Amino acid sequence: MEADQNKETILIVDDTPANLEVLIHLFQKEGYKVRAVTSGSMGIRSAEHDPPDIILLDVNMPEMNGFEVCRILKQNETLSGIPVIFISALTDTFDKVTAFETGGVDFISKPFQIAEALARVRTHLALRKYQRLLEIRNYDLNQALAQLKEAQSQLINSEKMASLGVLTAGIAHEINNPISFIYTSSLGISKNIDFFLELQKKYEELFEQCDGSKIQELSVFKEQNDFSERMDELKLLTANIVNGAQRITGIVQSLRRFARIDEADMKEIDIHENIDSTLLLLQHKINNRIRVVKEYGPIPPIPCYPARLSQVLMNIISNAIDAIEAKKEMTDREQITITTNVIESNGSTWATIEITDTGKGIPENIIGKMFDPFFTTKPVGKGMGLGLSISSNIIREHGGMVEAKNLEQSGASFLITLPVQKPEYV
Ligand SMILES: Nc1ncnc2c1ncn2[C@@H]1O[C@H](COP(=O)(O)OP(=O)(O)O)[C@@H](O)[C@H]1O
Ligand SMILES: [Mg+2]
């Protein structure tokens, strides 16, 4: 350590050769590398050519005084970090304020107190060393931070992709059903139309001939071919098509409401619409083994980022479904309850959305870690452990919070609290 320290270079700038000699001798004896020059401009050139670790700078010099030299050094990006210690005769009217203002770190006075001069130089060399170390660490930390941010945004994107996957599956499932009955109904209709065309032909013949036997033949034909049932079926099939088409329209509307791609800004929305569309898109995961109970309270429009709020609801409701499915044995009373309300707290009005499930509950030892990024108890491929951490970030962005607890009976509860803008709604 000592040997290392003593390899540091000191540049001494002093126009009095006698002073230089004393200083050179003093620091060389201590093992430092010493360079000495006799004018300010030479000092600057020497520092530029090969930056020293510290500079001892005489204040009173002809041509360019120490303060001016120091100012120039401090303006140079590569040299500005080098500590400058001023040398001044005790008899000089030495202006300490200017010395620090120009960027000096300390001063020593002539005649030199050897121990003092050495101590000051050592101290500033050590400080400089630590400062450099800090700069390197700082640089490394900044690099690490940038990499982390990059990784985080990639992860957030992959989490978005994951919810997109759930979403796509939902849409595919939801649209598939109505499409299939539109398809089969269309087949049925076209078969019936063949019959009605034939019937029409027979009517035409009848009217042409006005023949009693033909009339008889016609009613037999109608009866044999279940005329009235066919009429009913045709009505039903047509209603099915209409119904299917309406359902597709509903799904597409929900999807738009859920994604709200066109609404990037914060705006006041009816949260119940977001909950409903999220539930519809999760219907394929919920299916008929889980009952969904909505207990909606009278909440006013809430200022929020609609698509992000949908993402939160999707995450929390998906977790509730997973928790129910993870039970050893599912009963026929599995339920997800969504309750909304308005509360007054801390002098403000808040909207609450509580999502409770009858799932396996949250093990006590993970309740504090659940919101950490990457925390998951699900098998690889099923969960990334980002749902809750992203959700709580989103809710915090809205000025609200998410809290989780276990219910007394089996199951968990997630409570989202969002601020309601005051004057308009209270
Ligand atoms: N409703 C719930 N019931 C029980 N445990 C839950 C519930 N919601 C979340 N958890 C626990 O919190 C963990 C983290 O959830 P999350 O951040 O959404 O990540 P992931 O769903 O990918 O595991 C889950 O793995 C699970 O252990
Ligand atoms: Mg999740």
Side-chain angles (χ1 to χ4, degrees):
M1 182 79 194
E2 183 83 1
D4 261 348
Q5 194 181 12
N6 290 357
K7 275 187 196 133
E8 287 157 312
T9 305
I10 304 173
L11 172 64
I12 307 170
V13 187
D14 196 324
D15 64 321
T16 322
N19 283 344
L20 279 183
E21 233 166 82
V22 176
L23 291 170
I24 292 170
H25 179 69
L26 169 66
F27 289 111
Q28 274 180 345
K29 214 174 85 191
E30 290 297 313
Y32 292 105
K33 281 194 228 156
V34 182
R35 288 200 321 255
V37 293
T38 51
S39 78
S41 52
M42 281 161 75
I44 293 167
R45 272 204 304 281
S46 170
E48 281 170 348
H49 178 253
D50 181 10
D53 294 297
I54 194 164
I55 299 171
L56 301 190
L57 187 58
D58 188 17
V59 175
N60 272 327
M61 291 185 289
E63 179 201 329
M64 193 193 282
N65 75 23
F67 294 148
E68 285 171 71
V69 176
C70 191
R71 264 193 208 105
I72 292 170
L73 289 171
K74 294 295 159 190
Q75 277 161 15
N76 180 320
E77 214 182 304
T78 33
L79 305 179
S80 63
I82 302 172
V84 173
I85 298 181
F86 286 110
I87 306 169
S88 74
L90 271 182
T91 49
D92 287 351
T93 41
F94 178 62
D95 182 352
K96 290 178 191 168
V97 177
T98 314
F100 288 119
E101 267 174 8
T102 54
V105 290
D106 209 346
F107 48 87
I108 48 185
S109 24
K110 301 182 272 194
F112 304 113
Q113 298 289 317
I114 291 183
E116 184 195 327
L118 265 175
R120 288 190 193 270
V121 167
R122 269 193 205 122
T123 306
H124 287 290
L125 278 172
L127 278 176
R128 172 72 182 140
K129 199 156 133 191
Y130 291 126
Q131 190 191 353
R132 276 218 194 104
L133 272 177
L134 276 179
E135 278 165 9
I136 293 169
R137 295 270 185 286
N138 201 20
Y139 176 79
D140 291 348
L141 276 175
N142 273 329
Q143 293 285 94
L145 185 67
Q147 281 168 2
L148 261 177
K149 278 189 181 153
E150 172 63 26
Q152 190 194 28
S153 78
Q154 277 176 8
L155 280 167
I156 290 175
N157 275 339
S158 38
E159 171 72 19
K160 272 192 197 146
M161 290 306 287
S163 20
L164 203 65
V166 176
L167 209 66
T168 320
I171 299 160
H173 185 274
E174 287 303 313
I175 291 185
N176 203 33
N177 252 351
I179 281 184
S180 80
F181 59 76
I182 290 179
Y183 177 68
T184 39
S185 305
S186 312
L187 286 182
I189 286 178
S190 69
K191 252 201 296 179
N192 280 303
I193 283 177
D194 291 345
F195 160 73
F196 284 105
L197 286 175
E198 210 178 329
L199 184 64
Q200 174 67 16
K201 218 168 90 199
K202 290 195 181 292
Y203 271 120
E204 278 163 15
E205 283 170 16
L206 172 72
F207 287 126
E208 264 171 31
Q209 301 165 9
C210 228
D211 179 334
S213 70
K214 286 279 176 195
I215 296 177
Q216 179 61 26
E217 200 183 307
L218 186 63
S219 36
V220 172
F221 174 78
K222 277 168 77 176
E223 219 162 280
Q224 277 174 348
N225 286 285
D226 309 322
F227 178 80
S228 53
E229 282 110 77
R230 281 179 187 260
M231 286 300 269
D232 291 345
E233 198 183 322
L234 205 55
K235 275 189 211 140
L236 191 74
L237 293 174
T238 322
N240 274 350
I241 291 181
V242 172
N243 181 12
Q246 276 170 343
R247 272 172 66 177
I248 292 179
T249 311
I251 290 154
V252 172
Q253 266 170 4
S254 291
L255 190 61
R256 290 175 102 173
R257 217 173 287 137
F258 177 87
R260 294 198 180 222
I261 299 156
D262 43 335
E263 298 170 23
D265 295 334
M266 205 175 220
K267 66 188 314 194
E268 283 170 6
I269 60 155
D270 177 0
I271 283 181
H272 296 145
E273 276 187 8
N274 277 48
I275 302 174
D276 288 343
S277 48
T278 307
L279 283 172
L280 188 76
L281 294 169
L282 279 172
Q283 191 51 48
H284 69 295
K285 271 190 88 178
I286 296 172
N287 62 46
N288 45 21
R289 292 172 312 156
I290 302 170
R291 204 157 80 96
V292 176
V293 178
K294 300 178 196 171
E295 288 174 0
Y296 291 168
I299 47 178
I302 304 296
C304 70
Y305 298 104
R308 276 180 252 180
L309 185 70
S310 299
Q311 200 184 348
V312 172
L313 294 167
M314 172 75 105
N315 287 338
I316 295 181
I317 301 172
S318 294
N319 281 345
I321 302 167
D322 290 345
I324 292 174
E325 280 174 348
K327 279 172 102 167
K328 280 200 191 80
E329 261 175 68
M330 272 177 76
T331 65
D332 53 6
R333 291 181 305 279
E334 303 303 347
Q335 184 171 313
I336 292 173
T337 312
I338 302 173
T339 314
T340 59
N341 232 322
V342 184
I343 56 164
E344 295 289 330
S345 171
N346 296 332
S348 319
T349 313
W350 306 81
T352 59
I353 309 169
E354 191 184 20
I355 297 161
T356 63
D357 60 65
T358 51
K360 65 181 174 63
I362 311 159
E364 284 305 324
N365 60 331
I366 72 158
I367 214 153
K369 300 185 229 163
M370 230 174 16
F371 288 90
D372 292 350
F374 305 117
F375 181 86
T376 181
T377 53
K378 293 171 195 172
V380 185
K382 183 125 208 272
M384 288 223 303
L386 283 173
L388 288 180
S389 96
I390 291 175
S391 299
S392 68
N393 280 345
I394 293 175
I395 296 298
R396 235 179 285 137
E397 236 175 273
H398 284 81
M401 58 181 173
V402 189
E403 294 157 285
K405 65 170 190 215
N406 273 315
L407 300 174
E408 262 170 41
Q409 64 278 29
S410 140
S413 146
F414 284 78
L415 180 69
I416 303 170
T417 313
L418 288 169
V420 174
Q421 267 170 1
K422 234 182 163 187
E424 290 114 86
Y425 309 123
V426 179

